[in-house]
Amino acid sequence: LTARQKAAAEGRPSRLDALITSKEIVISCGSGGVGKTSISAALGAMTALRHGGKVLVVTVDPAKRLAAALGIEGFGNQARRVPNEAFTAVGVKPRGELWAAMLDTKQSWDDLVRRHAPTPRRADEILSNRLYTNITGRFVQSHEYIAMERLYELHSSGQYDLIVVDTPPTRNAIDFLEAPSRMADFFSSRFLKILAAPSRSRVLGLATRPFTNVADRILGNQFLGDIAEFFQLFESMAPGFVARARAVEHVLHDRRTTFLVVSTLEANPVHEAEFFLQSLDQMGFHLGAVVLNKVLPTWLLADEPARLADRLREDRATIAAAVATRLGAGERLTERVLGEVADAFTNYQLVAKREAEQQAQLAATPEVLVSVPAFDSDIHDLRGLLRIGEALFS
Amino acid sequence: MATTSSTHTVPLLERRLLFVTGKGGVGKSTVAASLALLAANRGKRVLVCDVDAKGDLADFFETAPLSFHEREVLPHLFGMSMDTEESLKQYLSLQMHVPFVTRLGPIAKMFEFVAVAGPGVKEIVTIGKFCWEVKEHHYDLVVVDASPTGHIVGQLASPQAINELVQVGIVRNQTQWMLDILGDPAQTGVVVVATPEEMPVSETIDLSHRLREETNVDLAAVVVNRVLPELFGRAEEELFHQLADEPEPLAEALGGDPVPLLDAAELAIRLRRTRTEHLERLREGIDASIPLLYVPYLFVKAHGLRATHKVSEALSEELGY
């Protein structure tokens, strides 16, 4: 049985559009450059078109033209509705609404601080601390965490029927899955207390002396003081942060949440996708589908044209002579063109074969495997997104 | 297509420290490995370093995973991977003569903690190691498979940031010589890898501005990876379209259906055309004095060391060797 048949036998949806109906959150992940943003936007657009309801696409770092097409360029965290006219302009009438938002990391952190600081004054103190920007910008997986946090915020607002999130590109794909629990650990950690302590507790001060000695020599007293002050401020937000991070983690594990693993069929992205599939499984997250993007057409795999390409290359001169007379073209010119034609097929067949090999590897696990063809131009408008959407839902 | 570096002052491989960066998925590690291999083949003693401890630079040499302690992976070519904790230890004992390095263990975790919080602490331990290798003349050339475009500026600007944030202490005293090495275009340069696609090109252009505005490190070259071949000139393309519209003569001469072949050529032309637009945008978007080095898309079965050799040959040609 193929994975698809097995899925059908077990009553699991074997199509992406069927799967979407029972989900409220779709998180798409995969390595950089595979087209996650376009796939997420296409899925959102198609769902709004076919299924109705209010669909929100949250993207992290969209290409400028795509952001412009979605109408979110320069709007930060604010969600904006893609006007119906954008759909009617390409000749379709959506059943639902398509909304889009970009993730503004800095803004999201500021919001978070305002929410969890015990008093507005404390919030101001934190926001004006000179280490704050630096720290939030570089926090372990701060970007990853804030993406998940923002997702939680949007989901719990109850405004949307479906939220599709495009995850930030990470070297290590599971970083953002672990981000909420790491954030919770960080804030409940005794290190935070120790770091915040030296200036106010003699006992803890003594305990951390070896550390502060080294740190003093390396960084200078004043810098360490700054850090301590910052952590004291931050510590006051710990209870709120921990509770929140646990809640975010809970939503990610909820069965209304599903993950899409997006990959092209090149070796490295496939390698990462495999690793990602493994991690999702181990960590108990729900895998919705594997989306293969920019896939070359299967007709490139046929044997007969390959044989003809070889013949064309070998007998180029003879064939060119015959064709040139019929077409009224120069023989040398024809020969060059035919040579290139033969090479083009051979070259792209090699790539297509490599892709097929990679696909066979990936096909072993997932319930739903969707292929999106390589389009000959960049996708940067709703028309293009809906073309991808058609492929996703077919 | 070759662009020589005649307008750019220092030849790429004559520098001492190269940071190779690029958007995820463009072949950053391939190019870092290939530049290192090329320099080693030209008789230089080279250190290539994976800045990501979990990175896969070793695969490009088909060698066992790299560690913080460098080892010779090919003649004259040494490989290592960054480990900030190890680097801090080395940094403390070599640079600052901190005597109780052995007692660092229990507080290493604590260091991680501060490194997370302290702006530039982790970065400077990383950058510091490379600068130190250059300063001590252990190698003719250090090639760093660096952080992706999104993080490289923060890393390269860290000595400056530390210099501004930390008013006293040993770290501050240590930043000046690093700044001297990093800011000297005769010694240090950034190589950005891009593919002729929308996002990689946009990120490369942005990065070229940010490098100039936020760091004192010189952009040495842009490597354009996976460039598709141009199939036809104008007359050839006209004839090709004639063939595609009227495939019967070819079908008869060939003794089979030529349509899949013609379709494949059509596909190749269209894929190439989109990429050409991005190439033009790249050329217009970065300073004209920055050399662009083109590496063709590899249509051969090549991965691991074989691919590294191929890319290194292409770079060698582009650099005029």
Side-chain angles (χ1 to χ4, degrees), chain A residues 48-49 52-57 67-73 75 77-88 93-102 159-160 382:
Chain A
L49 178 69
K54 212 170 156 182
V55 181
L56 173 69
V57 176
L70 293 172
I72 50 171
E73 210 175 13
F75 278 96
N77 268 341
Q78 215 179 326
R80 312 256 307 164
R81 183 171 173 189
V82 178
N84 253 357
E85 293 77 66
F87 283 91
T88 46
K93 194 169 170 290
R95 291 181 61 195
E97 298 175 7
L98 177 62
W99 290 69
M102 241 191 292
Q159 284 187 59
Y160 302 98
L382 195 58

Side-chain angles (χ1 to χ4, degrees), chain A residues 348 376, chain B residues 1 196 227-232 265-280 294:
Chain A
Y348 280 90
D376 46 38
Chain B
M1 208 190 265
V227 175
L228 293 174
E230 170 125 53
L231 258 68
F232 302 127
E266 183 69 45
L267 178 76
I269 291 169
R270 287 195 312 243
L271 288 175
R272 151 96 194 173
R273 190 174 298 145
T274 326
R275 291 176 160 229
T276 306
E277 288 164 21
H278 295 305
L279 272 181
E280 284 164 4
Y294 298 94

Side-chain angles (χ1 to χ4, degrees), chain B:
Chain B
M1 208 190 265
T3 310
T4 61
S5 51
S6 59
T7 48
H8 216 65
T9 42
V10 194
L12 195 62
L13 297 186
E14 297 309 313
R15 302 193 195 217
R16 307 279 320 284
L17 177 58
L18 293 175
F19 291 93
V20 183
T21 180
K23 184 177 161 55
V26 298
K28 176 173 69 69
S29 301
T30 313
V31 171
S34 305
L35 279 174
L37 179 65
L38 178 59
N41 284 342
R42 294 181 58 77
K44 289 183 188 293
R45 187 178 154 89
V46 184
L47 174 67
V48 63
C49 176
D50 197 336
V51 88
D52 181 354
K54 291 178 198 152
D56 52 5
L57 182 64
D59 295 349
F60 297 88
F61 298 109
E62 289 178 43
T63 183
L66 300 169
S67 75
F68 185 72
H69 303 284
E70 58 255 51
R71 83 168 188 266
E72 195 165 11
V73 294
L74 288 167
H76 311 297
L77 179 53
F78 296 76
M80 65 166 283
S81 66
M82 183 43 70
D83 177 330
T84 41
E85 203 177 302
E86 285 287 322
S87 186
L88 178 72
K89 277 189 201 165
Q90 198 179 63
Y91 190 68
L92 291 178
S93 62
L94 288 170
Q95 304 285 318
M96 301 175 179
H97 316 287
V98 171
F100 41 85
V101 167
T102 43
R103 287 173 57 192
L104 200 63
I107 60 168
K109 252 189 144 170
M110 186 80 100
F111 163 74
E112 275 292 316
F113 220 72
V114 175
V116 161
V121 174
K122 204 163 187 166
E123 286 87 348
I124 202 161
V125 167
T126 303
I127 296 286
K129 163 77 178 168
F130 307 133
C131 291
W132 183 69
E133 295 292 342
V134 170
K135 185 177 164 223
E136 297 295 313
H137 288 268
H138 290 152
Y139 298 93
D140 299 317
L141 173 67
V142 177
V143 179
V144 183
D145 181 4
S147 311
T149 38
H151 298 106
I152 186 79
V153 170
Q155 217 164 49
L156 292 175
S158 64
Q160 191 62 49
I162 290 275
N163 218 317
E164 286 160 14
L165 272 164
V166 186
Q167 257 102 64
V168 289
I170 309 177
V171 160
R172 180 174 169 103
N173 305 337
Q174 288 291 324
T175 52
Q176 195 51 52
W177 65 267
M178 289 187 199
L179 284 170
D180 291 344
I181 289 175
L182 291 172
D184 177 7
Q187 296 193 73
T188 305
V190 173
V191 175
V192 188
V193 185
T195 50
E197 295 169 290
E198 179 167 19
M199 291 299 274
V201 164
S202 299
E203 280 196 14
T204 302
I205 295 171
D206 286 351
L207 180 62
S208 75
H209 297 312
R210 290 193 62 199
L211 280 174
R212 212 174 32 229
E213 285 154 18
E214 298 170 42
T215 77
N216 56 352
V217 190
D218 187 50
L219 174 56
V222 173
V223 174
V224 190
N225 196 16
R226 300 192 199 129
V227 175
L228 293 174
E230 170 125 53
L231 258 68
F232 302 127
R234 180 178 288 186
E236 290 165 326
E237 188 155 343
E238 265 172 37
L239 178 59
F240 169 74
H241 287 303
Q242 203 185 340
L243 269 172
D245 291 341
E246 202 184 321
E248 294 80 15
L250 179 57
E252 282 165 31
L254 187 62
D257 180 13
V259 171
L261 308 190
L262 296 164
D263 284 351
E266 183 69 45
L267 178 76
I269 291 169
R270 287 195 312 243
L271 288 175
R272 151 96 194 173
R273 190 174 298 145
T274 326
R275 291 176 160 229
T276 306
E277 288 164 21
H278 295 305
L279 272 181
E280 284 164 4
R281 200 159 53 85
L282 178 64
R283 186 65 281 181
E284 282 163 21
I286 60 166
D287 196 283
S289 68
I290 312 290
L292 292 190
L293 310 172
Y294 298 94
V295 176
Y297 186 93
L298 295 180
F299 281 110
V300 290
K301 275 199 179 159
H303 47 82
L305 190 55
R306 183 152 182 246
T308 308
H309 274 294
K310 295 248 172 228
V311 173
S312 141
E313 281 161 23
L315 286 170
S316 172
E317 209 170 288
E318 287 288 286
L319 287 167
Y321 295 134

